[in-house]
Amino acid sequence: SLGGVRLEVQGAHDIQVGDKGTLRFTLDDRKHSEIIKKVIVRTVRKSQIGCEFIADQEYQKDLGFYLRF
């Protein structure tokens, strides 16, 4: 979504609610757009991590366009 992301990690981790970090990923669009977002961890359920994009970042039109379809 435009507001955040849920990801799954493999193996043991020490990620906790409230942790902040940077998430970098590549879309499978024609341009293979690279997205870089600062995030804060909102939920941790075993290997499932829910992150919210930190709102003070520039809107990335490639991500917005990608999520529309």
Side-chain angles (χ1 to χ4, degrees), residues 28-59:
D28 63 351
D29 61 357
R30 246 183 310 152
K31 299 186 305 183
H32 300 282
S33 305
E34 183 178 65
I35 305 297
I36 302 170
K37 291 288 204 178
K38 291 182 181 177
V39 298
I40 185 165
V41 175
R42 295 297 187 195
T43 61
V44 177
R45 292 188 184 102
K46 298 184 182 179
S47 63
Q48 303 258 329
I49 313 297
C51 298
E52 178 183 355
F53 296 139
I54 296 175
D56 64 347
Q57 299 173 74
E58 179 181 319
Y59 175 74

